[in-house]
Amino acid sequence: MIGSLVATAFWAMVPAYVPNNAAVLAGGGRPIDGGREWRGARLLGDGKTWRGTAVGTLVGVALALALNRLNDPASAALGVDLPTFALPAAVALAFGAMCGDIGASFLKRRSGRERGAAFPGLDQLDFVVGALAAVAVVDTDWALATFTPAVLAAVLVMTPVLHVVTNVGAYLLGLKDEPW
Ligand code: CTP
Ligand code: MG
Ligand code: K
């Protein structure tokens, strides 16, 4: 029961989890805010770039389509009816995750936090809120069928744990400047 909830939650969120990590590897180039400031601080900061956002989104969508191909064997192996991703839902999950992270940077700059500063709570859940909000708008029926209250609870418990583990791992591997 718990196992199938976690499996469903993880499967459904992979297209939202991976974009931010792909952006870390692909980031660089022109910042989205073009260097502009607002009220004495950068609008978003140098950590939010066009390239990171585009590559992150594409990687998330590609992963969703790859998961669709693996759905049957994975569902059979786990004894769970794993969700499949229609293209609009895949785009919403991936791009929504990137937008949630961008929104968090906007809030960080407004609260005087420099690029790279931690914002506990927001850092771990910004992309989840962005992904779920976007997919709820773009594919409401799919979102409601997939993210039942129990699956949603699993997502909210599991995501911060996964976020901490992947970011500390990326930091230890030298891929990321901060462990958050
Ligand atoms: N990145 C990017 N574009 C994005 C998100 C991330 O290019 N939309 C890249 C940047 O190189 C960024 C790195 O991934 O520095 C790490 O992402 P994140 O921790 O979200 O950014 P920070 O640099 O910590 O900046 P902020 O304080 O605004 O979160
Ligand atoms: Mg950071
Ligand atoms: K972030």
Side-chain angles (χ1 to χ4, degrees):
M1 178 63 190
I2 293 276
S4 62
L5 277 180
V6 169
T8 303
F10 182 74
W11 192 271
M13 290 302 286
V14 163
Y17 286 154
V18 178
N20 284 292
N21 299 298
V24 173
L25 301 178
R30 264 172 53 81
I32 294 171
D33 68 8
R36 277 187 288 276
E37 299 201 349
W38 188 52
R39 298 189 176 201
R42 283 286 294 276
L43 198 59
L44 301 173
D46 285 331
K48 306 296 120 149
T49 68
W50 291 108
R51 192 167 81 205
T53 308
V55 172
T57 303
L58 287 175
V59 168
V61 172
L63 262 173
L65 301 180
L67 288 183
N68 283 344
R69 297 180 144 258
L70 299 173
N71 192 296
D72 285 348
S75 292
L78 296 170
V80 185
D81 190 10
L82 294 167
T84 53
F85 306 94
L87 188 59
V91 173
L93 286 168
F95 187 60
M98 300 275 15
C99 289
D101 175 62
I102 290 168
S105 290
F106 177 81
L107 294 178
K108 287 186 190 180
R109 303 298 93 84
R110 306 286 72 72
S111 58
R113 290 172 170 81
E114 298 293 338
R115 173 186 179 183
F119 197 147
L122 194 66
D123 279 328
Q124 287 73 36
L125 288 170
D126 51 19
F127 56 102
V128 177
V129 173
L132 293 180
V135 80
V137 170
V138 166
D139 198 340
T140 310
D141 291 344
W142 184 85
L144 288 174
T146 305
F147 296 102
T148 60
V151 171
L152 197 56
V155 168
L156 294 179
V157 171
M158 192 176 66
T159 303
V161 177
L162 282 174
H163 187 271
V164 169
V165 170
T166 49
N167 282 285
V168 170
Y171 173 74
L172 293 176
L173 290 172
L175 301 173
K176 222 173 170 288
D177 294 335
E178 306 91 16
W180 48 76

